[in-house]
Amino acid sequence: MNNVIIFKVRKDEVDILNKYASINQFSIKMERENLSIDTVELCKGFNSVIIQASCEVNEEVIKKLSEYNCLNIITRSIGYNNINLKVCKKYGVNVANVSYSPASVAEFTVMLILMSLRKMKQNFINNNMSNPTFSNLKGKELHELSVGIVGYGNIGKSVIKNLKGFGCEILIYDHNPKKKFDVEYVDLDGLYQRADIISLHIPLKPETYHFVNYENLMKMKDGVIIINTSRGELIDTKDLIMCLENNKIGACALDTFENELQTFAEVRNNIDNDYVKLDSRSNVILTPHMAFFTETATDDCIRIAFENINKFINNENVIYSLIKWFFLN
């Protein structure tokens, strides 16, 4: 029987993990903590480990996993920037991520766009102050606007599919202009010049770190709306705050944030930081990295995680293998 240890398990995942462990005849152990150098010793006796994006898989951790013969790492997330893939290859450790229903994030993205356009956070503020007025809530209609989608992956495509029903102009920028696009493709400067709303759907890589910064923000339309349901580090937060303060940005909605673990811990401890500064603004919507969080997507993540392990163990082709992808691209 295959032995699998699973880190950073949420309560809502327990029944699903047990279901797929039974289907795949895996023996599993669940931990609430992150995988780290402090907890890696728990992996002794297991041949596979399933983690979350909050787990830091650095060289120290990978070396220990290799020593324990725990050679399969599955992250039940799409993002993998927390895993040192080069070191994993060095120690012969397999790594894979998962996929999940793109509709989960795509529908959440459209919701954030509509909430931003119709000033819903200000509406909530009004209501919380027992002031049910609409005098400061005049919004814009989506069908009259241009939406720029940065990234033409599964989620970007799903966002476009949803937006088509609103009748808005849709522009797409992707790092690979040779793809076949079902809407108008433009270069990045063209997107900045024309888009009233810009939504990010690209992975975090060294070349996309602070993809949205002061220089690029200055190229955008005055009053642009920024939506980020991808990765927090795609945006330079301090530059974002500066452009909100000078009204270059009309509104923004962020489901992800730079240095989330530290930032959220500071907020819980009443420490003033950039998150608090953003949250104080009526034209900024912040959500706690929850765009993916649906019943369907959660089931997808866990099902595919176990499928990956089965394929690694049986030497079958693993579609979501990150080592293979990383070193072929």
Side-chain angles (χ1 to χ4, degrees):
M1 181 174 283
N2 297 315
N3 297 317
V4 183
I5 184 167
I6 307 157
F7 286 89
K8 202 58 178 179
V9 175
R10 304 188 308 266
K11 289 182 180 180
D12 67 279
E13 295 178 304
V14 171
D15 289 344
I16 307 171
L17 287 164
N18 282 323
K19 178 180 75 171
Y20 284 110
S22 176
I23 290 171
N24 290 278
Q25 296 185 314
F26 284 4
S27 174
I28 64 172
K29 181 180 180 183
M30 303 184 206
E31 298 288 343
R32 291 187 178 182
E33 300 298 317
N34 278 316
L35 173 62
S36 67
I37 193 60
D38 296 323
T39 60
V40 69
E41 191 172 355
L42 296 172
C43 296
K44 286 182 178 179
F46 295 91
N47 54 32
S48 302
V49 55
I50 299 176
I51 65 170
Q52 265 290 13
S54 57
C55 298
E56 184 181 2
V57 186
N58 56 27
E59 182 158 9
E60 284 184 287
V61 170
I62 296 163
K63 184 178 179 182
K64 288 291 184 182
L65 290 174
S66 178
E67 292 172 2
Y68 302 153
N69 205 35
C70 186
L71 299 179
N72 302 306
I73 301 174
I74 314 296
T75 178
R76 56 192 192 281
S77 62
I78 293 176
Y80 54 87
N81 52 288
N82 57 313
I83 305 171
N84 191 322
L85 296 181
K86 289 184 179 180
V87 174
C88 286
K89 185 174 188 295
K90 171 184 172 183
Y91 285 98
V93 176
N94 299 310
V95 188
N97 63 350
V98 298
S99 182
Y100 50 78
S101 166
S104 60
V105 178
E107 291 174 5
F108 198 90
T109 298
V110 175
M111 177 190 73
L112 292 179
I113 290 173
L114 294 172
M115 289 180 71
S116 298
L117 287 174
R118 300 306 297 266
K119 301 184 179 180
M120 288 307 295
K121 184 174 178 180
Q122 182 63 60
N123 177 50
F124 296 148
I125 293 170
N126 290 351
N127 288 335
N128 288 338
M129 297 176 66
S130 300
N131 181 27
T133 180
F134 61 81
S135 61
N136 58 349
L137 300 177
K138 184 181 289 184
K140 296 181 179 180
E141 297 179 23
L142 183 52
H143 71 95
E144 297 179 329
L145 304 176
S146 177
V147 183
I149 305 296
V150 180
Y152 195 68
N154 289 334
I155 293 174
K157 291 176 184 176
S158 188
V159 173
I160 290 168
K161 178 181 176 182
N162 292 341
L163 287 175
K164 283 183 175 180
F166 288 90
C168 53
E169 179 183 47
I170 304 172
L171 309 171
I172 181 73
Y173 168 79
D174 189 86
H175 74 285
N176 182 4
K178 295 181 181 179
K179 288 181 179 179
K180 293 183 179 180
F181 302 99
D182 64 350
V183 293
E184 183 182 356
Y185 175 86
V186 294
D187 63 22
L188 202 51
D189 284 346
L191 184 140
Y192 290 155
Q193 291 164 12
R194 292 171 58 185
D196 302 291
I197 303 161
I198 296 177
S199 188
L200 304 178
H201 302 284
I202 53 177
L204 177 62
K205 299 179 180 181
E207 59 268 31
T208 60
Y209 178 76
H210 284 178
F211 184 85
V212 174
N213 52 39
Y214 186 81
E215 180 182 357
N216 289 335
L217 286 163
M218 288 299 101
K219 297 177 182 178
M220 299 177 191
K221 280 188 173 183
D222 290 344
V224 66
I225 294 174
I226 306 291
I227 310 290
N228 187 13
T229 55
S230 188
R231 286 293 179 267
E233 284 79 7
L234 295 175
I235 297 178
D236 186 318
T237 309
K238 295 191 183 304
D239 288 356
L240 182 76
I241 291 172
M242 186 188 309
C243 290
L244 282 162
E245 290 174 345
N246 65 20
N247 296 318
K248 176 67 181 181
I249 298 175
C252 72
L254 310 176
D255 183 53
T256 58
F257 201 80
E258 285 195 272
N259 305 315
E260 281 180 4
L261 294 180
Q262 177 183 341
T263 297
F264 293 165
E266 289 175 354
V267 172
R268 285 191 289 269
N269 290 315
N270 296 315
I271 297 173
D272 192 17
N273 58 20
D274 287 341
Y275 185 97
V276 175
K277 291 177 183 177
L278 286 168
D279 195 40
S280 68
R281 302 188 65 90
S282 64
N283 60 344
V284 176
I285 297 170
L286 301 179
T287 54
H289 206 150
M290 59 174 288
F292 77 97
F293 194 46
T294 66
E295 293 176 359
T296 301
T298 302
D299 193 272
D300 287 344
C301 289
I302 294 171
R303 172 180 54 81
I304 294 172
F306 282 115
E307 289 174 357
N308 285 339
I309 293 173
N310 260 329
K311 290 179 180 179
F312 275 136
I313 291 172
N314 295 318
N315 293 314
E316 298 175 8
N317 180 47
V318 180
I319 298 173
Y320 299 101
S321 171
L322 292 171
I323 299 293
K324 177 177 69 175
W325 180 90
F326 185 81
F327 288 97
L328 285 178
N329 286 275

